[in-house]
Amino acid sequence: MRTDLTRTARLLLVLALSAAGAGAAAGCGSAEAGGTEPAPRSDARAQQVAKAWDGSRAAAQWRAGYHPVAPVVRLPGTGLLRDDADRHAYEIGNFELQGKLPAAPGGNGRVTWPGGASLTMPLMDAGQAYRTLDHADSPGPRLTVTGVRKGEMTVATSRGPATVPAWLFTLKGYAGPLKRAAVNPSRPPAPPIGPLGQDVPADVLAPLGGLTQVAGNGRSLTVVAHHGSCDDGPVVDVLETSGSVVLSAAVTGVDDGPCTTELRGKKVTVRLDEPVGDRIVLDAFTGRPVPYTDGAGAAPAGG
């Protein structure tokens, strides 16, 4: 269905939908954040966000936590499923369980980093882990789980690679297990700056959809940026400081003519002057760390 929308109405729709998604991923504002900020230019806003976070208590809390920047699910062997049917079953979450899952273990597990740093976190039980995989009820092809056991896996995090407790699911027809991390990410700290309001035009600044990849050398980031059906797509600018990488997304080439109201996501790769290291990747619009989004499926094999 096509709807005649003015440029302003269309951009507000994009912002409203994007901000709703960002809020669901990162949570609501807090008293510490000071509520909604006015609408500055994108470069000034990025500087404000960097200044608020660099050296803040929130930044220290973030660096002390467990924040994955890669998938927490690893497929068997080389990380490639054997055919299109199995790949489709995995993508939509169509699994079948043969037998029983282990009883809930209770207690905590330890996340460890090279050098000896560690963090004690609550363990999810096998049922919880299985339900993150099996969330469809389709009559089509399924991946069959024939056994589950405790184990470990390596997950890329904002602090570098971490060894985390995992549930290892045996899949029918595969020699190695599917691994699923048995701990959830740490709760994000209350941000030291508030989000922008939804009256900011999307060709000035818009919220990001999420972080999908950090390059192995840390010199580039891939994020999901939103745009509409009557524009030239999104662009993402970067401001680098010693403590943060602030990303500013916007929509370019907006057309004032008739347009559908759909919201599209596009992956955009941002090159950095220096490796990201332990710097916090921030969204200029929300004023919050950009949440990881598992948009690409499983992680490479290993761990």
Side-chain angles (χ1 to χ4, degrees), residues 37-203:
E37 294 285 328
R41 292 179 56 84
S42 61
D43 53 351
R45 169 64 177 180
Q47 293 171 11
Q48 290 172 0
V49 171
K51 183 178 180 180
W53 274 91
D54 288 357
S56 68
R57 183 175 67 174
Q61 292 173 339
W62 175 268
R63 290 191 176 93
Y66 162 64
H67 304 288
V69 294
V72 296
V73 176
R74 182 159 291 127
L75 295 178
T78 62
L80 298 175
L81 295 173
R82 59 188 175 182
D83 54 35
D84 289 341
D86 282 3
R87 284 188 289 272
H88 180 68
Y90 174 71
E91 289 169 0
I92 67 172
N94 213 29
F95 283 71
E96 179 179 356
L97 177 63
Q98 289 186 353
K100 295 182 178 181
L101 294 170
N108 298 317
R110 187 169 293 275
V111 178
T112 59
W113 285 269
S118 65
L119 190 63
T120 300
M121 306 190 69
L123 286 172
M124 69 171 65
D125 62 40
Q128 290 173 311
Y130 178 75
R131 287 189 292 273
T132 67
L133 302 172
D134 181 24
H135 44 77
D137 188 18
S138 169
R142 295 173 180 266
L143 286 168
T144 302
V145 173
T146 60
V148 188
R149 68 183 189 277
K150 296 179 185 178
E152 293 181 337
M153 66 184 291
T154 301
V155 175
T157 77
S158 58
R159 300 168 60 178
T163 301
V164 304
W167 287 106
L168 312 185
F169 294 89
T170 302
L171 298 182
K172 185 177 181 179
Y174 291 88
L178 179 152
K179 302 179 181 181
R180 204 294 180 193
V183 291
N184 287 317
S186 299
R187 183 185 298 274
I193 187 170
L196 293 179
Q198 293 185 10
D199 58 344
V200 182
D203 56 356

